[in-house]
Each structure stands twice: as C-alpha cells, then as structure tokens.
C-alpha cells in the first residue's frame, strides 16, 4: 500500500472534499482523484462515496489503521534523520498547559544559559497532540499530563520508540465559584459530582477531559454545560468563577486564582501526573534538560518521600 496514496485518502476523508484535500496537499484535483482510484483498485473495494464525500464501511476501517501507520512512518523518518545528524541545533519543547510547572520552567532556563546558541521554542498543545508531534520530529521533548492512580504511568499510543520520565504527581481539586453549595465540603467524591444537578465545563486541553472522568467514575454522568476549546487555564478558571460549570484541575493550577474555592478530590484515589516524553538517543540540549528535570525529581523524592496523602514530587 503506497503511503502517498494513503495520505491522500486520509485528507479527503477528513475534509469530506476532494477539492479541499487537493488544496491542503498542493495537488491538482485530478491527481487526488487518481490517487483515490488507484488505492481503491489496489484494495479492490470502494473507499469513499462521492456525493456526499464520506468513507464507506471499508474506508472507515482503513481510516482507523491509516493514522497510526502514517505516524509510524513519520516517526521512522524523524528517527533516522536524528541519527544521521540532519537535525539542527534546536530545542523545541511541547507541553500541555497543566504540565508547564515552575520546576520545568526553571530547568529550561538553565539549559538556555548553558546553550546560548541553540534555538529554543515552547509550544502549548493539547495533550493528545504531544505524542504524535514527538514521534514525527516536530518536538524534541514533550511534557504531558493526565489522570492516573498514584504511581501508575500515563497511557501512551504506540507511535514509535518514546521513553517517559515521571516529573510530578499531585492532588486534584474541583475549583468552585464563591457561594457554590459544594464549597462547604472538606472533600469531594466523583460520585457526588456525576449528577445532573452539577454542570461541567468540557475543556479537554486545559483540564481533565470529561471522558476521563466518566471512565474513572464508571458513569455516563458529568454533563457538559459549555465546551472550552483552548489551553489557557486561567481563562478556564475565569469561566468557573462566573458560574459556567465545574472542572477538575491539579491543585497547583488553581493557586492564586480569584473568585474560586478549590475543594480536594478524595475518592477515588487519583492524582494528576506529569511525564516527560523523549526519544533515544537524546542529544544536547535535550539530554541536559532531561537530566536536570530527573535530578530535581530525584532530589525532591529523596527529601520528601511520598508526602501527604501519598502524592509524590509536588
């Protein structure tokens, strides 16, 4: 199966348009049509209906396979180019917003001082985008976060040889507007919150996604009142303070936020975990950054043990 044809198919299927896919890919529409026809002939089945443009049953199944396959091809190219020395002197760090902690910022400052000639960039991305951007060489290092049991690693898609380093585990809280009935509680359980009375903000890139809450609570609750499509945690907290809905955040992200009261999540026993994603081998300055962060984590773990409630490194 020709990967060039597969990329064309994915673009047409996702855009639901041959002409828009042609613009995205920089091909004439006739070339896009030829690519799809060639792929359908190779697989001996129609993959797309034409009016409207939509995947057939076979096309939908191919689309499920296509994303991981193309990511692995991009990852292989990026890996070989790194080993061949094709990479430029740069450090591009991708991070989900809750993963950008003061400790991470301090480590980045030290690396920049040690490597003044290296082009450094920080990109805030949705947590689901970071592993793919790492695998395809768009990022040198990635910081991602999520909901997990204490000590458990975050789940990662199979996108190539990526390694992880735990950076932090900390308490989760529900930020509430002043005067909210739940502010009288000392702690909250997920079962208390998965009821129609409490509406939620669906903020998958800035807070714990509602789908993760539903999985953790084994419930279809947590109804969204408003979808927040952004990465700015402070803007999200402004919506919470105005009464638009509830969300779940690491405690560190709510410190100093005006107009809210942060109530700890006490059941089930879950933590907010931050991990550093990196490839192998690591070149400078990415290796220096990983070493600095690892040293900070080791020092905190040795000095504090598990800390209050079993949360480490926070």
């Amino acid at each position: 199966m020709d990967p060039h044809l597969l990329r064309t198919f994915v673009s047409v299927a996702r855009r639901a348009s041959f002409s828009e896919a042609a613009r995205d890919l920089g091909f004439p529409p006739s070339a896009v049509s030829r690519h799809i026809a060639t792929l359908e002939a190779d697989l001996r089945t129609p993959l797309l209906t034409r009016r409207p443009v939509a995947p057939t049953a076979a096309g939908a199944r191919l689309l499920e396979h296509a994303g991981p396959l193309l990511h692995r091809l991009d990852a292989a190219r990026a890996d070989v180019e790194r080993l061949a020395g094709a990479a430029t002197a740069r450090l591009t760090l991708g991070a989900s917003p809750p993963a950008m902690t003061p400790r991470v910022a301090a480590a980045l400052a030290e690396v920049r001082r040690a490597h003044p000639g290296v082009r450094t960039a920080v990109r805030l991305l949705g947590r689901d985008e970071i592993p793919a951007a790492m695998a395809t060489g768009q990022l040198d290092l990635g910081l991602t976060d999520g909901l997990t049991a204490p000590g458990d690693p975050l789940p990662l898609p199979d996108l190539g040889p990526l390694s992880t380093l735990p950076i932090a585990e900390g308490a989760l809280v529900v930020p509430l507007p002043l005067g909210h009935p739940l502010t009288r509680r000392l702690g909250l359980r997920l079962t208390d919150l998965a009821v129609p009375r409490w509406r939620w903000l669906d903020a998958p890139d800035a807070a714990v996604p509602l789908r993760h809450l539903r999985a953790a609570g084994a419930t279809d609750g947590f109804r969204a009142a408003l979808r927040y499509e952004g990465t700015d945690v402070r803007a999200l907290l402004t919506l919470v303070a105005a009464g638009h809905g509830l969300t779940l955040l690491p405690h560190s992200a709510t410190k100093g936020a005006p107009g809210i009261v942060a109530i700890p999540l006490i059941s089930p026993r879950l933590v907010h975990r931050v991990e550093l994603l990196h490839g192998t081998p690591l070149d400078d300055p990415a290796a220096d950054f990983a070493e600095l962060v690892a040293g900070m984590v080791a020092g905190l773990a040795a000095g504090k043990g598990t800390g209050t409630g079993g949360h480490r490194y926070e």
Side-chain angles (χ1 to χ4, degrees), residues 5 51 79:
L5 304 183
R51 292 184 180 179
D79 233 10

Side-chain angles (χ1 to χ4, degrees), residues 101 103 146-154 164-172 250-252 255 269-276 293-294 296-314:
T101 65
R103 191 178 311 143
L147 189 71
T148 185
D152 284 357
L154 297 175
T164 62
L165 174 71
I167 300 300
E169 283 188 2
L172 288 156
H251 181 246
S252 57
K255 291 178 180 177
R269 191 162 175 259
L270 298 169
V271 294
H272 174 256
R273 182 177 172 100
V274 178
E275 292 182 350
L276 178 70
V293 174
M296 292 176 178
V297 171
L300 286 168
K304 292 187 176 181
T306 56
T308 303
H311 301 147
R312 300 177 300 161
Y313 317 142
E314 192 78 321

